[in-house]
Structure formats: C-alpha cells, structure tokens
Amino acid sequence: NAAVTTTSGDVSVSGTAGAGTSSDNHGLEMAAPVQTDSGNIFLTGTGGAGTTSNKGIFWTGSSPTITSASGNITITGTGGNGTGDSNRGIELRAPVQTGGAGTITINGTAGTGGTSDNFGTYISNLVKTANGAISITGTGLGSTGSNDGIRIRGDGSIVATGAASVTLTGNGAASAPGISIDTTGGIPGPGAVATAGNAFLTAGSGSNIEISPGVINANGTLELIADGSIVLGNGAQIVSNGAGTINVTLNSDADAI
C-alpha cells in the first residue's frame, strides 16, 4: 500500500468491493499513512457480499496513521452482506489523529445477513484530537451474538486533550451491547475514553453499555445512557481528570448497574 499525502488540500479516498463467494471483500483496506497538513480527510468504504470478514474499512498496523495537522477527519464504513461473522463496518487498528480545532467523526454500520462479531465500529488503537470534538457511532447487525454497535478493545483509546466533547452512540444486535469497552491501560493512555470536556455514551434499541475493564474520564458532564442495562464490571473506572465536577447520569430501562 502506498502512502497518500498532501500539504494543504483535502484527501478523499473511497472504495466499494465487488461481490465475492468467500471472505475479505473489503471496501477500503489500507496499511499505509494518509496525511495532510491543513486539509480534511474523508475515507469511505463499502464491503462486498461474501461469507466472513467483508469489512467496509479495514485499517491495519501501528505506524500507518490517519493524520491531519488541523483539519477534520471523517470515516464512514458499511460492512458487506456476508453470511458469516466479522462483516464489520469499520475496523481501525491504526492511530487516527488531528491537531488544532480539527474534529474526528467515525460512523460504522455492519453488513446484513451475518451471524456474529459483526460490529458497526471496532477500534483497537488511538483516536485523538487536540481541541476538536470526537463523535463515534456504530450499528451492529447479525442473527447470533457479539454484534456490538461500538467495540473498543485492547489498546483502543479515545482521547480529546482539549475541552471538546467525546460522543459515542451505539446500537447492538441480537442482545449485543451498543457500546462495549474491554481495554487495558491508564489515563489518557490505551484503554481510556478521556476528555477535559464532556463525555456522552449512549446505547439505544434495547442495547447495553458494558465496561469491563475500561476507563471513562471527563472533566465536565459525563453521561452513560442505555435503553438496556449499564454494566460496570471488574476494572471499570469512572474518574475525574482532577478539575471540576463530574455528573454521572445512569439512565436505564433495566435495573442492572
């Protein structure tokens, strides 16, 4: 994979996979940097039909970053309509970062017709802004289990170093969580959802918010809202950056908190 770079212009990369009879029909698969100094970045991918692992966007590796010095980054992925598992909207295994007032918007929707592990948005690396807001949405689809809307796992870390808000909105399928955080590390390193501003985590359509383990860290208002249950398991932490008061609102139709 070749790097895509520019000094001041926008970068737009899109891909749509054709229909296949097996796996790995990804709409956009990259293992190289996409970078701009001051422009915006737009990444769009749609997976093709097949069996398993037909992802809308699949970004791998630790060094091939998606980076803008000051622009906005928008990532949109739709998984392929596979018959098996792992037909994910977006799978980010590489860092995504922007500086200045740049924002990051990530929107993933799993493919239809699958079984399990069809996450809307899967993140296992750093997503970071300097002073801009972060918005992540995910819709899981599938007939059996673990079709999370948003899954943040391993070294996944969502960090806004300034006072901008961090918003996560997820909808799971087949009793899977809308938002699932299963990470390691401290604050604001891997495993953290951290901001000096406000943090809003919402799971709809009967979905849960499940944190085990993981850190939610905000200076301002911190809200956890679920249409299903809110589960804070072993290693879950809700903490303050050390300035101001956190207001935690646990609104759930179920009683499990």
Side-chain angles (χ1 to χ4, degrees):
N1 289 304
V4 179
T5 62
T6 182
T7 55
S8 59
D10 291 349
V11 175
S12 180
V13 183
S14 63
T16 301
T21 58
S22 58
S23 61
D24 299 318
N25 299 300
H26 308 317
L28 185 59
E29 180 179 4
M30 291 286 289
V34 172
Q35 299 174 339
T36 178
D37 288 343
S38 59
N40 302 311
I41 296 175
F42 303 93
L43 305 176
T44 305
T46 302
T51 54
T52 63
S53 191
N54 302 294
K55 297 161 186 172
I57 293 179
F58 182 38
W59 218 276
T60 64
S62 58
S63 60
T65 57
I66 303 167
T67 307
S68 177
S70 59
N72 301 326
I73 298 174
T74 302
I75 303 174
T76 305
T78 303
N81 298 330
T83 58
D85 61 77
S86 302
N87 299 297
R88 301 168 183 175
I90 296 171
E91 183 167 328
L92 294 176
R93 296 181 178 271
V96 180
Q97 299 184 63
T98 185
T103 64
I104 295 176
T105 303
I106 299 172
N107 186 358
T109 303
T112 62
T115 54
S116 63
D117 294 328
N118 297 298
F119 312 135
T121 298
Y122 177 95
I123 297 171
S124 61
N125 211 311
L126 177 66
V127 175
K128 183 179 180 181
T129 63
N131 296 300
I134 299 175
S135 175
I136 300 173
T137 61
T139 301
L141 296 170
S143 59
T144 56
S146 300
N147 298 301
D148 306 351
I150 298 171
R151 176 171 286 195
I152 303 172
R153 189 175 179 86
D155 290 335
S157 182
I158 315 299
V159 179
T161 58
S165 62
V166 173
T167 303
L168 276 61
T169 305
N171 292 284
S175 301
I179 300 172
S180 174
I181 299 174
D182 178 8
T183 60
T184 58
I187 306 167
V193 175
T195 177
N198 302 324
F200 306 99
L201 282 70
T202 303
S205 301
S207 299
N208 300 341
I209 295 174
E210 299 182 5
I211 305 171
S212 180
V215 177
I216 310 296
N217 178 1
N219 251 19
T221 300
L222 195 161
E223 291 186 352
L224 305 179
I225 302 174
D227 188 57
S229 299
I230 297 173
V231 181
L232 304 179
N234 292 334
Q237 300 179 54
I238 299 177
V239 300
S240 171
N241 278 323
T245 301
I246 292 179
N247 298 316
V248 179
T249 303
L250 303 179
N251 292 335
S252 175
D253 291 344
D255 295 327
I257 296 179

